């Protein structure tokens, strides 16, 4: 073992000696760093705005087109149905018809249950699966997404609204506030799309969303214990401690064994149906129609046994008929306006995040492009129209979209089929749901939200990034042990904290030469990389801004001090050149340039020369504008690290 270490050290020294001698024996040709031509301020501003807001170049199809064609393309951009509708045929209709009928059988019982999460009457859940899907089918660009109420948004909306108004004491005011929040949720979504600010929703990290969704799923499932166990007096709080206290305090007096029997039986049936669908993808329709079968069977059972007279809580009468207008119920002034705006913004952003994530997932599976900004406009418009037609916030449902995809949907027409089925249900079938037990709705919701607990994603997040896992678990525990709002706040806070940490504390690394090459890499990643005598090479892995410039300067000086101590202890030559590798530095501001100037002055006092390697176009342009190359010398800026090392080595004393 000792011999092998000695051989490695000897080989390393020979490599260094051969490298040094070769440097001194050749006259190198050094490429200069190109300085870009000056751009006008208007052109530079135009380029920046285009890359920020119009990176996808949405006006490309309009180039070199006659005016009439531009009008048609404009209408197709607003209403994608005018585009894909031209090639619509019987084969596509057959796929959409089957998938639309399948998701309708899933959405009807879910909608009745989700409306209870939002503290609204059952018909409002059905209303929200009638009008919004129709609007989306005309304006949406996703072929697979299924529109309607979803569990997380329903719970979030219900919790936020209940903090403002008690739905049991003031049902009319509560309903009006729900429509107001839905209106401003739509305004928020449409505004983000029109102003092309969709990138803002990406600030909520994937890890935080996974944790938030998992915590919300646990909270929703716990809330269903009221209907599942037949409890009449239940806590209005959503945290796990308050819910479990409420459950166990009512165990002797309020638990109803008939209700528990119904709920447990059909929950087992629903979970078994999901298991069948997961084991055999061709049987996707089994878990899709299982909720409707459960509702039909349980309703029939309650009706013939008169179980409602033995303590089994039922849904009761559901208002018949399609959506009544509700424009006059939206608050456009008064004390509740600000509350509606605040609630609508939060619910709208969460609904948008879920819908865009679902749309992108299925678009990548079918290999087509999804325009995020168009999606936001479509979702916003449908919620604005929905708020005026007695709907609450609707968005894309992952479970229904998955069923829609597996059922063979071809276009957004499947949403129209689903909407027609819901229309027929509202017109003719709602009286049949009168004897539906609340326990079956609780079982349906529990089985649906269990899919939101993505423990495999959490495990993967732990393996990949521990800080991401902190965001995930923080959001999860915030929702479960505090409230949905606290969990959401934690998710957003940790996501922003991670961004700030990465911006203010970027990574830096010292580089060494890979033996027998001119390639320089991180010495921690490649321990065999050799350090150059008399030269220290440091790489900065970030743009240099006001937020991190001082840290980068101090970190480079700390690298220098540590390296000098190590080389002094090993009796190696003193460092005379410090090369800063700037390939990863995408941008620099005035604070960054000022930090480089301070670094240059600090190094000068130590008799160390500052050298730059491969600054990019934007960086070199700003460096020349500040006349920084005049301070360090034009001959201290190189195209590659190898060029810089070669030149610096030639200037070192012969003994080094």
């Amino acid at each position: 073992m000792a011999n092998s270490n000695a051989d490695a050290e000897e080989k390393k020294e020979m490599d260094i000696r051969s490298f040094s001698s070769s440097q001194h024996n050749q006259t190198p040709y050094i490429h200069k760093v190109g300085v870009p031509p000056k751009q006008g301020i208007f052109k530079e501003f135009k380029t920046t705005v285009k890359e920020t807001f119009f990176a996808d170049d949405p006006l490309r199809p309009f180039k070199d087109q006659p005016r009439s064609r531009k009008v048609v393309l404009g209408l197709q951009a607003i209403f994608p149905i005018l585009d894909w509708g031209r090639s619509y045929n019987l084969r596509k209709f057959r796929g959409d018809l089957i998938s639309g009928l399948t998701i309708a059988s899933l959405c009807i019982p879910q909608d009745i249950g989700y409306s209870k999460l939002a503290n609204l009457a059952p018909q409002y859940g059905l209303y929200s699966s009638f009008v919004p899907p129709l609007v989306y089918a005309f304006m949406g660009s996703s072929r697979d997404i299924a529109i309607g109420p979803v569990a997380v948004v329903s719970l979030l909306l219900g919790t936020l609204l209940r903090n403002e108004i008690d739905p049991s004491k003031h049902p009319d005011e509560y309903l009006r506030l729900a429509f107001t929040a839905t209106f401003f949720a739509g305004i928020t979504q449409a505004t983000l799309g029109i102003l092309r600010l969709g990138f803002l929703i990406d600030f909520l990290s994937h890890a935080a969303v996974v944790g938030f969704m998992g915590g919300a799923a646990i909270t929703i499932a716990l809330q269903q214990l009221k209907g599942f166990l037949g409890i009449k007096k239940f806590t209005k709080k959503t945290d796990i401690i308050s819910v479990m206290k409420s459950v166990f305090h009512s165990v002797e007096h309020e638990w109803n064994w008939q209700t528990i029997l119904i709920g447990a039986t059909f929950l087992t049936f629903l979970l078994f149906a999901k298991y069948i669908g997961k084991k055999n993808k061709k049987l996707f329709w089994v878990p899709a129609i299982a909720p409707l079968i459960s509702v039909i069977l349980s309703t029939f059972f309650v009706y013939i046994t008169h179980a409602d007279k033995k303590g089994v809580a039922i849904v009761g009468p559901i208002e018949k008929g399609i959506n009544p207008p509700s424009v006059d119920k939206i608050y456009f002034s008064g004390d509740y306006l600000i509350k509606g705006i605040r609630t609508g913004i939060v619910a709208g952003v969460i609904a948008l995040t879920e819908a865009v994530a679902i749309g992108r997932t299925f678009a990548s599976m079918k290999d087509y492009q999804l325009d995020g900004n168009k999606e936001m406009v479509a979702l916003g418009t449908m919620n604005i129209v929905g708020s005026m037609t007695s709907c609450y916030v609707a968005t894309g449902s992952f479970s229904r979209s998955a069923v829609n995809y597996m059922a063979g949907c071809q276009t957004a027409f499947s949403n129209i089929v689903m909407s027609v089925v819901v229309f027929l249900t509202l017109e003719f079938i709602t009286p049949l749901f009168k004897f539906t037990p609340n326990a079956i709705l609780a079982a349906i919701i529990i089985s649906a939200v269990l899919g939101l607990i993505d423990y495999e994603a959490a495990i993967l997040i732990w393996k990949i990034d521990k800080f991401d896992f902190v965001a995930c678990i923080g959001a999860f525990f915030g929702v479960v042990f505090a409230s949905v709002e606290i969990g959401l706040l934690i998710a957003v806070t940790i996501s922003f904290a991670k961004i700030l940490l990465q911006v203010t504390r970027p990574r830096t690394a010292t580089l060494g030469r890979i033996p027998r090459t001119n390639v320089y890499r991180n010495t921690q990643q490649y321990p065999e990389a050799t350090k150059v005598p008399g030269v220290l090479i440091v790489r900065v892995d970030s743009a240099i801004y006001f937020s991190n410039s001082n840290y980068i300067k101090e970190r480079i000086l700390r690298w220098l001090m540590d390296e000098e101590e190590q080389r002094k202890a090993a009796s190696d030559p003193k460092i005379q050149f410090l090369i800063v590798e700037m390939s990863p530095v995408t941008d620099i501001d005035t604070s960054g340039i000022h930090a480089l100037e301070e670094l240059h002055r600090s190094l000068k006092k130590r008799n160390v020369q500052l050298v730059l390697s491969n600054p990019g176009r934007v960086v070199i342009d700003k460096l020349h504008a500040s006349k920084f190359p005049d301070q360090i010398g034009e001959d201290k800026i190189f195209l590659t690290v190898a060029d810089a090392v070669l030149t610096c080595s030639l200037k070192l004393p012969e003994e080094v």
Side-chain angles (χ1 to χ4, degrees), residues 19 24 33 114 148 192 200 267 288 367 408 511 521 547 562 604:
F19 171 72
H24 284 279
V33 175
Y114 291 160
L192 288 173
L200 292 177
L267 179 59
D367 194 26
L511 307 185
R521 291 293 182 265
S547 57
D562 292 344
K604 206 170 182 180

Side-chain angles (χ1 to χ4, degrees), residues 118-120 158 161-162 165 167 170-178:
N119 303 310
L120 296 169
L161 293 177
R162 191 169 57 193
I165 303 174
H170 307 285
D172 292 337
E173 288 82 357
Y174 182 89
L175 184 62
R176 292 188 64 184
L177 190 60

